[in-house]
Amino acid sequence: MIQKPRGTQDIFEIKSKQYNDLENTIINVLKTYNLNEIRTPIFEAKELFVRSVGETSDVVSKEMYEFFDKKGREFVLRPEGTAPIVRSLIENKLYAPEFLPLKLYYVGPMFRYERPQTGRYRQFEQIGVEILGVDSVYQDIEILAMLDSITKAIKIDTKVELDLNYLVTGKQREIYIKELTKFLVDFDDLCDDCEVRIHKNPLRTLDCKIDFNKFKTAPKMTSFLSKEDEQRFQQILEAGKKIGLKININQRLVRGLDYYTGLIFELKYLESSLGSQSTIIAGGRYNNLVKDLDGPDLPAIGFAMGVERLILILEENQINLNHDHGIDLYTIALSSEAMILNLEIIRDLRNNDIRVETDYLNRSLKSNFKQAEKLQAKNVIVIGDNEIKTQKIVIKNQINKAQTEVKISDLVEEMKAGK
């Protein structure tokens, strides 16, 4: 039997509803911040991610699904969402003044070749936010407030904490990297990846999951910030506190992608059920990426979250987002003549946004009512010879058990009034 690839999953029935509930809840929050959706291809040129995410990052060096097309061009299944959006912005000239600030969100599958584990798949669903064209402390605060709004909407705000750091920039970054390199070369037992990173990208060693605990005494970035960066970071911390955000400063937070500059953050789940993968939302400012990909000098900030990990948290805490999955009406036809009338009725109802299901399996009346219960039908109607003759029908309300007789010609209006 052919089976699904390792690290993927089939999503159906209750699980599919969980995905829809979670995504719709978060999208509704993002719309209150005036964000609009963007959809980009699920495969892109490999060069896009090499130039943006970084050649020494785990994503590029180990995790991308790569392939050549029939003309020998090298593509990858997208491993993350920011670079494709920047590519789209440049290609479609969305940096024109009439588009700015560009406030976008995306929902879709990402792909990384890595060991499957709790809440982590090789194909996974991600929701992300990108705001381009504004370099403001207040925009930074709004992004952090957005995280707070999301966690409140999905009812996990008491179970998470927000870690912040500020990456050194400009000349101070060069000074810090020299000091960090001096610190790192004294180790003779680092993992193979860190041995490479010391010379190619020392900052990335701080993100190592193997040697992480060895770097507790590493030089602190905040000690190397320029006056401007230090002031900005303090403004973010103070403003965040004033609007009620709970923030931790994490000096060793660097994030795993090379394009970040300045403010970076991770929202972490406080329970241990996700193991080492406790980060559920992460992002930061990336003011140089648009320019680095041959676009204009345009500041940007964003974040992304993994849907699978969030669903695990909702399940663990028995959180129901209370979206209505029931149908408005279940219809039962008792004869072939009744089925013809039934088809006419349900077509008119569906054309008026009434959610309807009917039986085509010739179930018994008792089995049909059980099916209506399974589908959480709010109402049931039975169509037989008498209904054909009188052109009247009884709506059986499955919630309060009331029964209402109406003309078939008035059924649509009656159902719309009862929604």
Side-chain angles (χ1 to χ4, degrees):
M1 183 178 67
I2 299 173
Q3 296 183 331
K4 65 182 180 295
R6 184 169 184 248
T8 64
Q9 55 179 339
D10 297 315
I11 301 168
F12 54 90
E13 291 288 338
I14 292 175
K15 183 66 73 174
S16 178
K17 290 175 181 178
Q18 286 179 313
Y19 272 71
N20 285 328
D21 285 349
L22 178 62
E23 290 171 2
N24 288 335
T25 300
I26 293 172
I27 287 169
N28 286 339
V29 171
L30 300 181
K31 286 181 177 178
T32 68
Y33 284 81
N34 192 34
L35 270 67
N36 296 303
E37 185 182 18
I38 183 170
R39 302 188 188 196
T40 60
I42 65 168
F43 67 98
E44 298 267 3
K46 179 181 177 180
E47 182 188 9
L48 174 64
F49 299 100
V50 173
R51 289 179 57 185
S52 59
V53 175
E55 193 169 0
T56 61
S57 67
D58 286 351
V59 170
V60 170
S61 63
K62 300 178 182 179
E63 298 172 359
M64 292 199 302
Y65 278 90
E66 307 174 22
F67 64 95
F68 291 93
D69 71 359
K70 292 182 178 180
K71 291 188 176 180
R73 293 169 294 201
E74 196 168 11
F75 292 99
V76 298
L77 297 179
R78 63 184 182 195
E80 62 95 44
T82 300
I85 287 174
V86 172
R87 189 269 311 147
S88 178
L89 172 138
I90 296 168
E91 186 172 344
N92 295 291
K93 295 182 172 58
L94 299 177
Y95 49 77
E98 61 265 28
F99 295 114
L100 300 180
L102 192 63
K103 304 177 72 172
L104 304 170
Y105 75 86
Y106 60 86
V107 181
M110 306 293 162
F111 306 84
R112 294 188 188 180
Y113 187 85
E114 55 184 339
R115 183 173 63 85
Q117 51 191 299
T118 304
R120 176 164 280 188
Y121 296 87
R122 289 177 173 176
Q123 176 178 329
F124 56 97
E125 199 77 7
Q126 200 171 76
I127 302 174
V129 165
E130 314 292 351
I131 298 179
L132 301 105
V134 181
D135 188 7
S136 164
V137 169
Y138 306 112
Q139 182 65 78
D140 296 346
I141 292 297
E142 184 183 77
I143 281 283
L144 299 180
M146 203 181 295
L147 301 183
D148 187 59
S149 297
I150 290 169
T151 58
K152 281 183 167 62
I154 63 176
K155 306 175 185 178
I156 65 169
D157 51 299
T158 61
K159 302 179 184 298
V160 296
E161 64 179 14
L162 180 61
D163 281 5
L164 259 62
N165 197 14
Y166 202 98
L167 296 177
V168 283
T169 59
K171 289 183 179 179
Q172 292 302 114
R173 185 185 184 95
E174 295 174 16
I175 296 170
Y176 175 73
I177 288 174
K178 285 181 182 177
E179 290 300 314
L180 179 61
T181 304
K182 287 179 186 177
F183 169 80
L184 293 170
V185 294
D186 286 338
F187 291 92
D188 56 8
D189 59 345
L190 297 180
C191 71
D192 292 342
D193 286 338
C194 282
E195 289 292 350
V196 173
R197 289 167 181 160
I198 288 174
H199 305 288
K200 288 193 172 183
N201 192 346
L203 278 181
R204 289 279 293 109
T205 58
L206 300 179
D207 191 51
C208 180
K209 301 299 184 289
I210 298 172
D211 294 325
F212 183 78
N213 287 324
K214 297 176 184 175
F215 304 143
K216 290 179 180 179
T217 59
K220 294 181 179 180
M221 285 192 206
T222 50
S223 303
F224 290 80
L225 294 179
S226 66
K227 279 190 177 180
E228 293 79 7
D229 284 344
E230 188 177 1
Q231 273 185 336
R232 180 164 180 148
F233 193 32
Q234 286 305 313
Q235 278 184 285
I236 292 169
L237 296 174
E238 289 168 11
K241 185 177 180 180
K242 283 181 181 177
I243 66 170
L245 301 179
K246 296 178 181 178
I247 293 171
N248 299 318
I249 300 174
N250 182 349
Q251 298 273 6
R252 291 193 290 159
L253 178 62
V254 293
R255 301 292 304 128
L257 310 178
D258 285 358
Y259 51 64
Y260 286 115
T261 58
L263 176 68
I264 53 173
F265 50 84
E266 288 186 352
L267 192 76
K268 294 185 176 181
Y269 183 50
L270 294 174
E271 304 296 329
S272 60
S273 54
L274 295 182
S276 63
Q277 307 300 324
S278 61
T279 299
I280 55 175
I281 306 178
R285 186 160 281 284
Y286 53 99
N287 284 353
N288 299 331
L289 182 57
V290 179
K291 187 176 181 181
D292 288 345
L293 290 176
D294 305 322
D297 192 357
L298 198 70
I301 189 170
F303 62 83
M305 66 198 83
V307 172
E308 286 78 9
R309 292 188 208 176
L310 291 175
I311 285 177
L312 281 175
I313 293 171
L314 297 184
E315 289 177 341
E316 179 181 321
N317 293 279
Q318 298 181 327
I319 295 171
N320 184 351
L321 296 178
N322 295 320
H323 287 260
D324 182 8
H325 293 297
I327 59 173
D328 298 311
L329 180 67
Y330 187 84
T331 68
I332 305 169
L334 300 178
S335 66
S336 56
E337 292 83 4
M339 180 58 79
I340 298 301
L341 177 58
N342 179 40
L343 291 172
E344 183 180 345
I345 287 171
I346 63 177
R347 182 199 64 192
D348 290 344
L349 288 165
R350 286 168 175 163
N351 285 343
N352 283 274
D353 296 326
I354 307 296
R355 292 173 292 176
V356 188
E357 183 58 284
T358 193
D359 172 50
Y360 296 118
L361 296 176
N362 295 318
R363 293 182 177 95
S364 67
L365 194 60
K366 182 178 179 181
S367 295
N368 265 311
F369 272 96
K370 283 186 177 179
Q371 181 68 6
E373 185 178 347
K374 178 183 175 182
L375 296 173
Q376 302 174 50
K378 298 178 181 66
N379 301 281
V380 174
I381 62 173
V382 179
I383 306 169
D385 292 342
N386 186 58
E387 285 72 26
I388 296 173
K389 181 180 177 181
T390 63
Q391 288 295 294
K392 291 182 179 179
I393 207 156
V394 176
I395 304 172
K396 303 176 188 292
N397 188 299
Q398 299 301 98
I399 300 171
N400 61 22
K401 304 306 178 184
Q403 298 192 20
T404 306
E405 185 179 68
V406 298
K407 293 179 181 179
I408 291 176
S409 59
D410 294 335
L411 181 59
V412 169
E413 290 306 314
E414 183 70 24
M415 290 298 303
K416 286 171 69 175
K419 284 191 74 173

